[in-house]
């Protein structure tokens, strides 16, 4: 086991870019690392349904929903969803504040009706914060809601929701969410340099670090043989538990400072260069 490493890769901004495109060199790096006997898992805030929509390379498994879902070679190791009463309370809270919500499950990604009005602007701001011009992003997102799944009424209160994202009209929405739902894990994510565009809520105890611990116990593996790769503050918990950590060149400053090594940007062969640097390929 000492020569085999277990790699945990964040997805957006790490394995793929902010346009959801995986650089050819990143896929090649993962393929070669696996051929060399290393295990490669994605460790992401995305649900399994979102990952299945992405054009990714072959992997050994995944940690999804910021740690709420763990899968190893098709076997589900952990799946913790939000209690339906909490889903109801959070959705109603978002409605009352006039902010759209995204309900993530393994079966699909669902949106409240307010997202019909807010999706184009917030996702354009997201893309603009990651390198696109707002004008280009606005044009690209003209029909963004055409492919979204919307829920109304009682249908919104699903029992299979892993994580709920909500649009931030201001940072105060996030601070108020932390107060309103103290029994849950609250995070923010979004634009350039950790700019908060969305908040999200997950069940208590759900973190990427906890999920890695669960998976390592399942694999009977040693944490010293793990390497984490990420680009955002939420990845720092992953850095703290793993034996070694790599921040992408496009990461925020806090994330870079928490890492053992900083590679190049996602679109400048960041994964390939890091794998080469670490002797994985």
């Amino acid at each position: 086991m000492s020569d085999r490493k277990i790699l945990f890769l964040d997805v957006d901004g790490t394995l793929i870019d902010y346009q959801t495109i995986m650089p050819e060199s990143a896929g090649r790096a993962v393929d070669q690392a696996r051929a060399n006997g290393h295990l490669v898992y994605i460790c992401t805030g995305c649900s399994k349904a979102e990952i299945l929509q992405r054009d990714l390379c072959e992997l050994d498994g995944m940690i999804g929903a910021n740690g709420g879902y763990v899968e190893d070679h098709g076997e589900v190791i952990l799946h913790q969803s939000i209690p339906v009463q909490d889903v109801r309370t959070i959705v109603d809270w978002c409605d009352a504040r006039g902010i759209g919500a995204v309900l993530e499950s393994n079966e699909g990604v669902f949106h409240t009706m307010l997202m019909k009005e807010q999706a184009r602007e917030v996702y354009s701001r997201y893309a603009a914060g990651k390198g696109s011009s707002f004008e280009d992003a606005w044009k690209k997102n003209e029909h963004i809601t055409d492919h979204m799944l919307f829920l109304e009424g009682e249908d919104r209160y699903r029992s299979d929701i892993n994580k709920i994202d909500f649009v931030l009209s201001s940072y105060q929405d996030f601070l108020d969410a932390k107060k309103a739902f103290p029994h849950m894990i609250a995070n923010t994510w979004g634009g350039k340099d950790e700019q908060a565009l969305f908040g999200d809520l997950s069940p208590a105890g759900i973190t990427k670090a906890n999920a890695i611990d669960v998976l390592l116990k399942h694999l009977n593996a040693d944490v010293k043989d793990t390497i984490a790769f990420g680009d955002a503050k939420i990845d720092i918990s992953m850095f703290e538990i793993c034996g070694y950590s790599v921040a992408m060149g496009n990461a925020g400053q806090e994330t870079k400072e928490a890492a053992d090594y900083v590679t190049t940007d996602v679109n400048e062969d960041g994964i390939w260069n890091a794998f080469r640097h670490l002797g994985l390929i």
Side-chain angles (χ1 to χ4, degrees):
M1 181 63 198
S2 58
D3 292 332
R4 184 177 72 170
K5 300 300 180 184
I6 304 172
L7 315 180
F8 294 100
L9 278 65
D10 173 57
V11 176
D12 294 287
T14 301
L15 180 60
I16 64 176
D17 66 17
Y18 300 113
Q19 310 302 320
T20 71
I21 297 170
M22 184 178 67
E24 181 275 337
S25 64
R28 187 156 37 92
V30 171
D31 289 345
Q32 290 192 21
R34 294 181 72 232
N36 288 341
H38 305 295
L39 298 175
V40 183
Y41 298 83
I42 52 173
C43 191
T44 175
C46 298
S47 67
K48 184 173 181 179
E50 288 179 282
I51 292 303
L52 292 175
Q53 295 172 5
R54 307 285 173 83
D55 187 17
L56 302 182
C57 48
E58 290 293 321
L59 299 155
D60 292 291
M62 70 172 289
I63 292 171
N66 283 337
Y69 179 78
V70 182
E71 183 180 296
D72 174 45
H73 294 94
E75 179 184 357
V76 178
I77 308 303
L78 170 71
H79 185 196
Q80 185 170 342
S81 57
I82 301 174
V84 68
Q85 185 53 52
D86 280 336
V87 174
R88 177 184 293 272
T89 305
I90 295 166
V91 168
D92 290 348
W93 182 86
C94 289
D95 280 353
R97 296 181 79 95
I99 54 179
V102 184
L103 313 176
E104 300 185 14
S105 82
N106 288 354
E107 301 303 316
V109 179
F110 308 98
H111 304 78
T112 61
M113 296 305 292
L114 283 167
M115 286 300 293
K116 276 197 172 181
E117 307 165 17
Q118 298 169 5
R120 187 179 184 187
E121 179 175 354
V122 71
Y123 286 116
S124 295
R125 287 169 61 200
Y126 175 81
K130 300 299 187 179
S132 299
S133 72
F134 183 83
E135 292 74 16
D136 288 345
W138 182 257
K139 289 177 185 175
K140 182 177 179 181
N141 288 325
E142 181 179 2
H143 302 289
I144 190 171
T145 59
D146 292 355
H147 305 291
M148 288 182 170
L149 300 173
F150 292 94
L151 299 178
E152 296 185 84
E154 290 292 316
D155 290 342
R156 299 173 303 168
Y157 310 134
R158 294 176 62 101
S159 62
D160 62 347
I161 300 302
N162 301 327
K163 181 165 70 83
I164 299 178
D165 306 296
F166 52 94
V167 175
L168 298 178
S169 60
S170 74
Y171 195 75
Q172 191 61 44
D173 289 327
F174 170 67
L175 297 177
D176 290 347
K178 288 183 72 173
K179 273 187 190 174
F181 309 105
H183 60 296
M184 303 191 74
I185 301 294
N187 294 295
T188 64
W189 58 276
K192 186 177 182 180
D193 296 328
E194 314 292 353
Q195 177 188 358
L197 298 178
F198 286 89
D200 67 48
L201 291 163
S202 304
I206 293 303
T207 65
K208 290 185 175 184
N210 176 71
I212 288 172
D213 185 57
V214 169
L215 180 57
L216 292 179
K217 285 184 171 68
H218 170 74
L219 295 172
N220 193 28
D222 195 317
V223 70
K224 70 178 176 59
D225 293 321
T226 60
I227 307 173
F229 300 77
D231 74 311
K233 282 192 288 189
I234 198 167
D235 299 318
I236 293 176
S237 73
M238 185 167 61
F239 291 0
E240 290 172 343
I241 192 175
C242 287
Y244 194 84
S245 56
V246 177
M248 305 301 290
N250 45 278
Q253 189 60 34
E254 186 176 345
T255 308
K256 289 179 178 177
E257 290 174 357
D260 295 306
Y261 177 72
V262 179
T263 185
T264 50
D265 285 18
V266 60
N267 279 322
E268 294 174 355
D269 300 324
I271 291 296
W272 174 268
N273 289 334
F275 280 28
R276 286 289 300 272
H277 172 77
L278 295 170
L280 301 169
I281 56 177

